[in-house]
Amino acid sequence: MPPKANDRFNDPDGEKFGIPTWPWRLGPDPSELATVRQLKAMGRRPGTTQKAGQLGWRRNGEDHFAALYRVDLAKPKRPMTDAMWAAVRKACAAHRTCPECKTDKGYRIPRRYGVCAPCYGGYPA
């Protein structure tokens, strides 16, 4: 009998992949190990760069992995500072400003064209 697809990544001892590995959706309890997205939903971030495990799945003939981090070592997310918010506002303004006519168009200039609609094709302003 051929092995099941889930058996490929069933390595809770870490003998095959070097760290404990579980099949997608069959991992350990999320209160112990969690992905970055799961930690973010809890208002936390990984407390270390070292992975405690991973989830594995196969898509389009390629192996994919999601890192798992220990929840008990997770730290609170850093709040946005005033300087961070200012940088975000500045970046958004830069994306709205046409490099050709130097005006804020009120919408994000498409990267495909690089300029606003009037500058690109002579459309009315």
Side-chain angles (χ1 to χ4, degrees):
M1 177 185 276
K4 296 180 184 177
N6 288 340
D7 290 343
R8 175 187 194 94
F9 300 106
N10 193 11
D11 181 27
D13 298 325
E15 295 171 5
K16 181 177 178 183
F17 294 101
I19 60 172
T21 305
W22 293 272
W24 186 255
R25 296 190 185 266
L26 297 176
D29 184 16
S31 65
E32 297 172 10
L33 296 177
T35 64
V36 172
R37 282 188 177 189
Q38 289 171 327
L39 289 174
K40 186 176 179 180
M42 296 177 209
R44 303 178 71 75
R45 62 186 168 94
T48 177
T49 57
Q50 189 168 351
K51 299 187 293 185
Q54 63 186 359
L55 297 174
W57 68 97
R58 192 161 178 81
R59 181 177 57 205
N60 297 332
E62 294 183 22
D63 292 346
H64 296 272
F65 297 94
L68 294 173
Y69 299 94
R70 288 180 43 186
V71 175
D72 60 338
L73 297 179
K75 296 180 179 179
K77 282 183 12 180
R78 294 185 184 116
M80 288 282 283
T81 64
D82 291 338
M84 290 171 152
W85 282 116
V88 169
R89 282 192 295 276
K90 185 176 177 181
C92 289
H95 288 295
R96 289 191 314 265
T97 305
C98 176
E100 188 95 10
C101 61
K102 306 289 189 236
T103 57
D104 186 339
K105 290 301 186 177
Y107 61 87
R108 188 180 178 100
I109 306 294
R111 286 180 57 188
R112 173 187 284 181
Y113 308 119
V115 293
C116 64
C119 292
Y120 178 73
Y123 298 108

